[in-house]
Amino acid sequence: MQTSIRRWAARGAAGFCLAFAAFQLALALGAPFGEIAWGGSAPVLAGPIRWASAAAAIYLLVAAGLMAARAGDWGRRLPRWLPLACNIVLALQLALNTLANLAAKTGGERYGMGAASAVGCGLCLVA
């Protein structure tokens, strides 16, 4: 039973990463969601920050794949430490991200993104 909960939490974390990869890609392409990301300085991100969003999208896609491997859905030939290491790094990153979001000036970033990153962190901790 406990293994099943961990497996579903890892799948949830993978889905979380996929959703936020799509969000970061939208930001990189110029979607007007910048007020809830990257400090909320402008609705449409400036060029250098768009590149950072593109890099974040790639990182999140890799993390989604490794969390799916952690769930046992694929990658059975991967060394066991790789998905576990990703799980730990992602949990730590999301914990720090939650703290940063809660300290943000905009309500959308503070409450919306803060809550979202807390959920993602919780999924990683359970996985």
Side-chain angles (χ1 to χ4, degrees), residues 1 4 7 9 13-14 20 33 37 44 54-56 67 74 85-86 92 99 104 110 114 117 122 126:
M1 179 69 161
S4 178
R7 176 177 259 170
F20 276 89
F33 306 133
V44 176
M67 290 308 293
W74 76 278
C86 174
L92 290 171
L99 294 174
R110 186 178 319 125
S117 60
V126 172

Side-chain angles (χ1 to χ4, degrees), residues 8-86:
W8 281 104
R11 288 177 178 146
F16 173 88
C17 289
L18 286 175
F20 276 89
F23 175 72
Q24 290 293 341
L25 181 60
L27 287 171
L29 295 173
F33 306 133
E35 291 178 339
I36 60 170
W38 300 105
S41 60
V44 176
L45 301 179
I49 300 176
R50 282 189 185 189
W51 284 106
S53 279
I58 293 167
Y59 167 78
L60 287 163
L61 288 173
V62 170
L66 287 169
M67 290 308 293
R70 178 96 170 116
D73 294 335
W74 76 278
R76 287 181 173 81
R77 292 186 183 204
L78 288 173
R80 289 180 53 107
W81 65 265
L82 186 60
L84 175 61
C86 174

